[in-house]
Amino acid sequence: MSLEHLNPKSWQRRKKPSSQEVFEKLRKGDISALSRAITGVESKASEDYAFAKALLQQALPYSGNSFRLGITGVPGVGKSTFIESLGIHLIKLGFKVAVLAIDPSSSVSKGSILGDKTRMEQLVKSEFAYIRPSPAGETLGGVARKTREAILLCEAAGFDFIMVETVGVGQSETAVHSMTDFFLLLKLAGAGDDLQGIKRGIMEMADAVIINKADGDNKKAALHARREFQNALHLINPKSHQYPVKVHLCSGLHNEGIEEIAQEIASFRQHSNQNGSLLERRNSQELYWLHQTIEDRLKEAFYSRSEIVNQIKEIETSVVERKISAFDAADRLLSL
């Protein structure tokens, strides 16, 4: 008589659910299934690739029905507090809210604090909210490697609003702009927010500018910052959706100005649906991620090839010792 059924490893192998089983639970709103699905698509393990691919294929017909909010700003601007206030307000309006929060990772240990659930104490308690902190890893821009796929899975799970919170450093603004419908830029008054502190690139991407922590003694400085930003916006070319970019004051901590921002988001959504700019934006994003995925796959395939693995250290040494240029070294590796 076989005793294989007593082997814990054998039991775990048999019990591991299929992508179909996970997806069926996900569609019914099972949060554990959603977390398992996102973990699967985030995994770099080769054995999880087919599982992730099947999940995403099943999710596609149910995706695209949410409204995707990108939220960025420098560390300390109060993104988590703002997101919690806005999320609670949207839930009171009858919506389900998912938050994909990207935490900065250490370039040395590769570790991440992942403290967003701790900071969003009230939101995390709601049965209509889902908070998924993920480490940024080595991904350019502070957006987790599989954030876009996580958006699709959250949409298939029935979430109405999906907020993507970025690290707020480097090129994160460009990355989050390429996967969301409405891009919120959070700023602080009295922290270099005068004209010389306003970056044209980020202003051109923003669909709304929020001056956070506009309360108490900081209210006067916030009003001054709003005037500066409003003046700066006049120098920027109109966006393709033809919706005016506005500057709002708010206090996420005291829940002030949140209702007005929610109304602004609703107004933008109605406008962009009516003139077709939302569909146009999403179509361009799909093509962007097609080509981005091709580049990522080519890079992974290149560095995993045995010819490259066998020779790259030797060629790297030649570059460091100034025997060949980086350009020549790249040509040699690519020729393999």
Side-chain angles (χ1 to χ4, degrees):
M1 179 178 178
S2 174
L3 298 179
E4 186 182 0
H5 67 284
L6 298 178
N7 185 333
K9 291 184 178 180
S10 174
W11 180 82
Q12 288 174 2
R13 282 198 301 271
R14 290 202 307 272
K15 285 292 184 179
K16 186 175 181 180
S18 66
S19 62
Q20 181 65 38
E21 291 171 329
V22 172
F23 186 73
E24 287 177 358
K25 291 181 179 179
L26 179 155
R27 282 291 295 159
K28 295 176 181 177
D30 188 317
I31 295 302
S32 296
L34 175 58
S35 294
R36 181 160 197 155
I38 294 177
T39 298
V41 300
E42 286 181 343
S43 173
K44 294 182 180 180
S46 57
E47 60 267 24
D48 290 327
Y49 178 76
F51 174 79
K53 187 177 179 181
L55 274 173
L56 293 171
Q57 190 61 40
Q58 293 173 85
L60 272 179
Y62 304 97
S63 65
N65 295 319
S66 76
F67 196 68
R68 309 165 183 174
L69 299 173
I71 300 171
T72 193
V74 297
V77 76
K79 293 190 294 292
S80 296
T81 305
F82 171 79
I83 288 171
E84 180 173 54
S85 294
L86 180 59
I88 290 173
H89 179 78
L90 291 172
I91 288 171
K92 288 179 179 178
L93 294 177
F95 298 111
K96 291 181 65 178
V97 177
V99 179
L100 303 176
I102 316 304
D103 265 22
S105 303
S106 166
S107 60
V108 178
S109 67
K110 311 302 181 186
S112 177
I113 298 173
L114 301 178
D116 289 279
K117 282 193 173 183
T118 303
R119 292 192 291 269
M120 302 179 194
E121 294 178 356
Q122 298 302 314
L123 189 60
V124 75
K125 296 175 183 177
S126 174
E127 62 178 307
F128 302 106
Y130 173 71
I131 302 175
R132 172 76 182 199
S134 299
E138 299 176 354
T139 310
L140 177 65
V143 176
R145 182 172 173 264
K146 295 293 183 177
T147 300
R148 188 176 177 279
E149 284 86 344
I151 290 175
L152 300 181
L153 293 172
C154 287
E155 289 178 337
F159 286 92
D160 305 297
F161 280 88
I162 299 173
M163 305 188 204
V164 182
E165 176 198 357
T166 72
V167 177
V169 293
Q171 297 297 316
S172 59
E173 293 85 6
T174 302
V176 72
H177 185 264
S178 69
M179 63 178 74
T180 54
D181 305 319
F182 191 77
F183 183 56
L184 282 158
L185 169 63
L186 267 62
K187 301 292 288 184
L188 286 175
D193 288 338
D194 49 10
L195 282 179
Q196 61 264 34
I198 297 173
K199 302 296 187 289
R200 184 180 179 90
I202 181 64
M203 291 293 290
E204 288 178 339
M205 286 187 284
D207 296 306
V209 178
I210 311 298
I211 311 296
N212 197 23
K213 301 185 180 181
D215 48 47
D217 296 337
N218 204 36
K219 192 65 174 286
K220 184 177 179 180
L223 289 168
H224 173 73
R226 180 169 67 179
R227 287 194 298 271
E228 295 288 357
F229 274 104
Q230 286 173 335
N231 291 334
L233 287 169
H234 291 307
L235 305 175
I236 295 175
N237 294 328
K239 299 172 78 68
S240 59
H241 52 58
Q242 298 299 313
Y243 190 88
V245 180
K246 299 175 184 177
V247 184
H248 296 268
L249 299 183
C250 89
S251 171
L253 183 62
H254 298 290
N255 201 34
E256 297 173 0
I258 298 298
E259 184 176 355
E260 290 78 6
I261 293 169
Q263 291 174 351
E264 181 74 4
I265 293 170
S267 178
F268 175 90
R269 185 178 189 178
Q270 182 180 20
H271 170 87
S272 56
N273 271 322
Q274 288 177 345
N275 70 4
S277 60
L278 179 60
L279 178 60
E280 182 180 341
R281 184 167 180 164
R282 287 198 173 182
N283 288 344
S284 64
Q285 289 175 353
E286 292 293 337
L287 295 178
Y288 169 85
W289 284 103
L290 165 65
H291 294 288
Q292 186 65 48
T293 303
I294 290 171
E295 290 180 19
D296 291 343
R297 294 282 174 81
L298 286 173
K299 185 177 179 180
E300 290 175 5
F302 174 79
Y303 282 107
S304 64
R305 291 180 67 87
S306 59
E307 307 96 298
I308 304 302
V309 173
N310 293 336
Q311 296 196 36
I312 192 167
K313 289 297 181 184
E314 180 183 342
I315 291 180
E316 284 177 343
T317 301
S318 297
V319 171
V320 171
E321 294 176 350
R322 307 294 193 273
K323 292 180 180 178
I324 59 174
S325 71
F327 298 102
D328 187 25
D331 285 341
R332 292 188 188 186
L333 287 170
L334 289 167
S335 68
L336 297 175

